[in-house]
Amino acid sequence: MAAVEMPVEKWTGKVHEVRLGGEGRKSIVVGGETTLPFLHFEGSIPNRIAVAVEVQDQEPSDWATSLVSAWGDVLRDPGAWAKKAAEFGADIIVLRLRSAHPEERNTGAAEAKAAVDKVLSAVDLPVIVLGPEVAEKDNEVLVAASEVARGSRVALGNCMEKNYRTIAATAIADGHVVIAKTPIEINLAKQLNILISDIGVPVDAILMDPTTGALGYGLEYSYSMMERLHLAALQGDAMTAMPMVCTVGEEAWRQKEARVAEGVPASWGDHEQRSLLWEEFTAISLINSGADIVVLRHPKAVEVVKATIDRLMSQV
Amino acid sequence: MALTGIEIYKLLPKTNCKECGFPTCLAFAMKVAAKAVEISLCPDLSEEAKQALEAAARPPIRLVTIGAGERKVEVGNEVVMFRHEKTFYHPPGLMFRVNDTAAPEEIAKLVEEVASYSVERVGMQLELDGFAIDNKSGDAAAFANCAELVESKTDLPLVLMSSDPACMSAALEKVATGKPLLYAANKDNSDKMVELALKYGCPLAVYASDGLSELAELTEKVSEGGVEDIVIDPGARDFAQSLTTLTQLRRLALRKSFRPLGYPIITFPGEAAASAEEEALLAGQQIAKYAGIIVLDRFSPSVAYPLLTLRLNIYIDPQKPIQMTPGVYQIGAPKETSPLCVTTNFSLTYFSVAGELESSAWASWLLVCDTEGLSVLTSWAAGKFDAEKIAKSVKEFDVAKNISHRSLVLLGKVAVLRGELEEELPDWKIMVGPLEAMDIGGYLKQHWTA
């Protein structure tokens, strides 16, 4: 019989390429895919999927003990923490300005500037700065972060439907990238990308966060939403073609399966391995549905996910 | 592929006899095309027409059954590349490999552990699916004894793994009634394997790792030999290779209607993995990307639980989230002074909340509002979980009749609803509960005074 003919899809679109870092610090480009995840035979995947590591500007009070012991003392200092994350293999540092949350210490611009400065001087990796996700506070601390980070081309997040203007404007002024975050809905994601583009942010300076559901807690919604966004991008829709960021560590480690060691069913098994797998399964599933950057928490997960990305990036 | 009404009409007797219940053959054909009625309602269908209709109705990926009895596994018959296009129907079977070189006590222990493994999630019991007995010894008696031992301990389906027809035959003499999957026919042994599959009525796996053309050639040979229940192994063992090959196979079956490769796929994620974690992650990828049977080498509950959870996530029908019936639920044995909490009817939300209330020993009333199966934040964003809806539910389910107090705890990140809810329910005290289900116990301890 004749040789089997491989079906190859002819995609017309492409995920936008977005560069972070540069000017004296390492730079990284994400996006640029012209096919579905890792289907090297039908298109190009010019940039490796990036692994970012989350650092907070204050010592986390609610982290699982296994996470705390994996990091140790550096959790008290964002600079030292970022440095250690770089040693563990982070491609990008994500600095979460958590202390600015009104229910935490409600810190303001000055503290934000200091934390961003610490991280930028501690490592030469590209940086993403996330606010506490409270609109007014985000505007305050991200504008401050933007100023300090001028020239380092960081990503500022998050632009939400209610407060994208200030953050987008400051990103344009200081030459940064923005992250557009929407709640697991394809039309909302597209609409916010359009709004942000309309006020002048170029498409090579927008990342999107379609909202991450952890394994067992809405993973399937994120998974399918991201597949739909990625397919729409490949079919030529430039407003769904922003590279995707997933806050995997934050979501996975919020769940009981990852956090709780005692008083759970025996069928949940060894806590250490289960909690790691919870983060890793969430990461690999979302990488296979189109993520360009996954933000992780556990150093071991960083190692395992990076090794898996290497395997997936290798041409068959 | 599916026929149109006109194509079906051409195959009908065109007598308009009305026996089928429709006034004309054409009207009947249209209903059949719309899958509203079965073609078998036509009493005068010719043999030729029957065959043509059957061939057209044949699914692009054959449904194959492994095992017999209640715990048999059905795989295949998938119709889409992406779950959002419709749904994935048949969750892959998760089986564990048993080597016939292992000590009997060791085998018995593994079988016991896997077969009795069960974990609860959103009100369902999730379980593992079977065993693959590997003829590592190359010895017929050892293989047969091992198969017999496993079968004596479990009624889960089996895969018999041997490329030696003599060994396969020996094992089949012991365990054929369980309809195991025979793994595998290759280019050297396929005639003998076909013979065994036919003799015992078992499904047969076909293995060819040197290209899909060779694999297709072999499945055609096997199918011409009379075996229809086929499972294929293209030999892809690593992450990238598995993703590429399994995607190509699914596309060939669905997009090209390529029959020789329209079968479920068996994978072995442990063979190229250096650790249990790596194996688990590759198995996870294969759950989402197109495996039918997954044979694992390493069992532990901490791997089984995330794998089963992922399988549940990926194979849930995206159009029908698991929902709870709206109403007032009793957690424990609540009294009239017990707390009243409010949440949505998304099953996961319900089970997270109910589980926490139970484990923190708070007997309570849980008001579940109809949010069409959406979670708290999603339904709030979609306007399906607002003050009006909650107030309506409070009245509709007559929540007040059970309790002496008038306090209501809002759960999740919907503190924003408090103001409006106070307007809608002026006699009630609205309390803003914790953001996460796992903090409910602590919250009630601190704040509940009724």
Side-chain angles (χ1 to χ4, degrees), chain B residues 161-279:
Chain B
M161 299 176 65
S162 178
S163 52
D164 181 345
C167 294
M168 192 64 90
S169 175
L172 277 168
E173 273 170 35
K174 308 278 191 188
V175 301
T177 50
K179 302 292 174 200
L181 170 66
L182 314 185
Y183 177 96
N186 58 38
K187 62 181 189 307
D188 302 320
N189 69 7
S190 67
D191 291 342
K192 292 242 165 75
M193 288 293 183
V194 164
E195 240 172 70
L196 287 171
L198 287 176
K199 178 174 172 191
Y200 293 103
C202 294
L204 179 60
V206 172
Y207 170 83
S209 61
D210 39 6
L212 297 186
S213 299
E214 281 70 18
L215 184 59
E217 213 169 298
L218 202 51
T219 60
E220 282 193 314
K221 192 174 165 212
V222 165
S223 132
E224 275 159 24
V227 175
E228 290 181 334
D229 287 328
I230 295 173
V231 171
I232 51 180
D233 177 8
R237 293 294 182 265
D238 196 9
F239 284 86
Q241 201 192 8
S242 171
L243 186 62
T244 297
T245 310
L246 272 59
T247 301
Q248 285 171 333
L249 286 169
R250 174 76 61 106
R251 281 185 182 175
L252 281 164
L254 298 187
R255 301 262 158 93
K256 306 275 173 188
S257 304
F258 187 68
R259 300 282 180 204
L261 294 174
Y263 298 102
I265 303 163
I266 186 167
T267 64
F268 299 88
E271 288 186 0
S275 67
E277 257 174 333
E278 207 178 299
E279 175 179 16

Side-chain angles (χ1 to χ4, degrees), chain A residues 250-265:
Chain A
E250 184 178 335
E251 291 305 318
W253 285 95
R254 260 175 359 117
Q255 311 310 334
K256 195 171 173 182
E257 280 82 354
R259 273 168 71 175
V260 181
E262 309 283 325
V264 298

Side-chain angles (χ1 to χ4, degrees), chain A residues 1 3-7 9 42 216 220 223-224 227-228 254 256-257 267 273 280 288 300 311, chain B residues 82-83 117-118 121 212-213 220 238 251-252 255 277-278 285 289 302 305 313 348 356 436:
Chain A
M1 60 162 278
V4 175
E5 201 185 315
M6 290 308 158
E9 304 277 354
E42 80 178 3
E220 69 274 30
Y223 181 91
S224 285
E227 281 197 328
R228 290 176 63 191
R254 260 175 359 117
K256 195 171 173 182
E257 280 82 354
S267 54
Q273 184 172 51
E280 293 163 3
N288 268 323
K300 185 75 202 311
R311 307 272 283 267
Chain B
F82 304 100
R83 56 187 293 284
Y117 183 82
S118 172
R121 198 162 180 90
L212 297 186
S213 299
E220 282 193 314
D238 196 9
R251 281 185 182 175
L252 281 164
R255 301 262 158 93
E277 257 174 333
E278 207 178 299
Q285 173 184 297
K289 296 292 178 189
S302 51
Y305 181 32
N313 283 174
L348 188 65
E356 283 309 320
E436 303 295 336

